[in-house]
Amino acid sequence: MLYSIIIPVYNRANEVKELLESLCAQTVKPFELLIIEDGSNERCDYLLDHYRSFFPIHYYYKPNSGRSDTRNYGLERATGDYMLFFDSDVILPPCYFEKLQEAMSAEYADCFGGPDAADSSFNDMQKAVNHSMTSFWTTGGIRGGKAVMEKFCPRTFNMGLSKEVYDKVGGFEDMMGEDIDLSLRIRAAGFKIRLIREAFVYHKRRVDLSRFFKQVNNFGQARIWLKIKHPGSLKLVHALPALMLVMGAALLIASIFMPALLLLPLLYILLIFGDSLAKNRSLKVAALSVVTAIVQITGYGTGFMKAVWRKLILREPLETKAKLTKLYNRG
């Protein structure tokens, strides 16, 4: 089976180089690579000649139009039996495709996703952000954790689907939460979706807390977009960060009269610290994990509440494609 890897790129040449290196290091290479440059000012095509002898590479440059349109551009040009999506800031472990082939041979899936992790080479902030984005205590395990509070939906940092799925369901919609939207449409069409934990990637996320806040704020807003398009898709786990913010504010007010109530958020902070310490074995990363968890919960929760107010209560229309493109490029 030939896999077509589709990578949208927007001013990410350094990230692409690391991804290319990890693809070269694969123990098996049953794939072609499609890099779609989405109107970048800093193009990455100068990197590619060195790697063309290792596997087929197809490079395309197009005007900037956002992530969904760029991935669909790649889907239209892919020649493989199965299409894979990674973010440009992903690094694959050497056995990724070996593990993927083993898993698919044992139990085929029309669509699959894998979890993400932090490599030992990542800096302390990257490890802390990874902990916030993967821990059960901050996400409910919805991104591929062993304990989960919701049916797994693949995300485009590590996602694959067959050509049959694409032919029947189509590609990505131009909306917030576009990868989850596609996962929901695939499941609704009767296809099997599978989590393959062995096919994990290292996700070298941005380390700027301000940009991290904007990213998770968008995630919070996306959940309301998904609710509007897919009634019944919104679960309690998706609202937990917003509920935690409301409860936190209520505890602060109530603690004026009952100071002992402040022990509750302190216990949660200690839980995050201890969980990160056990996984990362670093006091500094554990301390940073508390900071990134607060940023994540605050960013996601405020984004969720903002979208509830604007989209469900005021009933404002969903943003246009032009606004979304600007939003994606900022995030």
Side-chain angles (χ1 to χ4, degrees), residues 240-305:
L240 284 179
L243 293 174
M244 290 172 70
L245 287 181
V246 173
M247 289 175 61
L251 282 173
L252 284 176
I253 296 171
S255 67
I256 297 173
F257 309 99
M258 297 179 63
L261 290 175
L262 291 176
L263 290 174
L264 293 176
L266 178 61
L267 287 173
Y268 181 73
I269 287 172
L270 290 174
L271 177 63
I272 297 296
F273 183 89
D275 186 52
S276 179
L277 182 62
K279 293 175 179 176
N280 294 293
R281 301 181 182 277
S282 166
L283 289 170
K284 183 178 179 181
V285 173
L288 287 172
S289 295
V290 173
V291 176
T292 55
I294 292 171
V295 170
Q296 181 199 357
I297 292 168
T298 304
Y300 183 103
T302 54
F304 185 92
M305 290 188 288

Side-chain angles (χ1 to χ4, degrees), residues 63-304:
N64 180 249
S65 59
R67 295 181 307 211
S68 294
D69 185 64
T70 301
R71 291 190 180 107
N72 290 338
Y73 188 98
L75 280 167
E76 293 166 1
R77 289 156 179 80
T79 61
D81 313 291
Y82 217 96
M83 277 70 78
L84 301 184
F85 299 94
F86 303 117
D87 286 346
S88 60
D89 57 356
V90 154
I91 299 171
L92 275 63
C95 292
Y96 180 92
F97 278 93
E98 184 177 336
K99 296 294 185 183
L100 176 59
Q101 286 186 311
E102 290 175 1
M104 293 291 276
S105 296
E107 184 184 354
Y108 180 80
D110 304 298
C111 174
F112 83 93
D116 52 345
D119 184 60
S120 59
S121 66
F122 288 7
N123 64 39
D124 291 338
M125 182 61 79
Q126 287 169 330
K127 291 176 181 177
V129 169
N130 178 79
H131 179 266
S132 295
M133 294 298 289
T134 59
S135 171
F136 174 81
W137 304 110
T138 51
T139 67
I142 63 175
R143 297 172 65 91
K146 293 183 179 180
V148 269
M149 297 177 66
E150 177 202 29
K151 281 186 178 180
F152 174 70
C153 284
R155 290 161 170 78
T156 46
F157 64 78
N158 185 9
M159 176 182 185
L161 55 92
S162 69
K163 188 176 186 304
E164 181 186 1
V165 169
Y166 171 58
D167 288 341
K168 182 171 181 179
V169 179
F172 295 90
E173 297 289 338
D174 198 359
M175 61 176 290
M176 300 181 78
E178 73 282 0
D179 46 2
I180 301 174
D181 165 70
L182 179 57
S183 294
L184 292 171
R185 286 189 282 125
I186 290 171
R187 182 172 282 123
F191 290 104
K192 180 177 180 180
I193 295 178
R194 181 183 173 197
L195 167 62
I196 302 179
R197 289 196 174 91
E198 301 83 2
F200 68 91
V201 299
Y202 299 119
H203 203 169
K204 199 170 187 178
R205 293 183 176 88
R206 302 179 180 97
V207 295
D208 181 281
L209 288 178
S210 174
R211 298 189 73 176
F212 180 51
F213 178 92
K214 290 178 182 178
Q215 185 181 55
V216 293
N217 189 269
N218 292 343
F219 292 166
Q221 294 183 62
R223 275 299 167 185
I224 302 305
W225 287 51
L226 291 163
K227 171 187 167 39
I228 292 170
K229 186 171 181 186
H230 301 276
S233 65
L234 186 66
K235 308 298 182 185
L236 176 61
V237 64
H238 305 137
L240 284 179
L243 293 174
M244 290 172 70
L245 287 181
V246 173
M247 289 175 61
L251 282 173
L252 284 176
I253 296 171
S255 67
I256 297 173
F257 309 99
M258 297 179 63
L261 290 175
L262 291 176
L263 290 174
L264 293 176
L266 178 61
L267 287 173
Y268 181 73
I269 287 172
L270 290 174
L271 177 63
I272 297 296
F273 183 89
D275 186 52
S276 179
L277 182 62
K279 293 175 179 176
N280 294 293
R281 301 181 182 277
S282 166
L283 289 170
K284 183 178 179 181
V285 173
L288 287 172
S289 295
V290 173
V291 176
T292 55
I294 292 171
V295 170
Q296 181 199 357
I297 292 168
T298 304
Y300 183 103
T302 54
F304 185 92

Side-chain angles (χ1 to χ4, degrees), residues 5-12 16 33-40 43-45 48 57-78 85-86 88:
I5 303 172
I6 299 171
I7 310 292
V9 179
Y10 183 76
N11 292 334
R12 294 282 184 261
V16 170
L33 174 65
L34 289 80
I35 292 181
I36 320 298
E37 193 99 58
D38 186 28
S40 300
R43 296 174 63 154
C44 67
D45 51 335
L48 304 181
I57 299 177
H58 310 284
Y59 174 85
Y60 303 94
Y61 185 92
K62 53 178 276 300
N64 180 249
S65 59
R67 295 181 307 211
S68 294
D69 185 64
T70 301
R71 291 190 180 107
N72 290 338
Y73 188 98
L75 280 167
E76 293 166 1
R77 289 156 179 80
F85 299 94
F86 303 117
S88 60

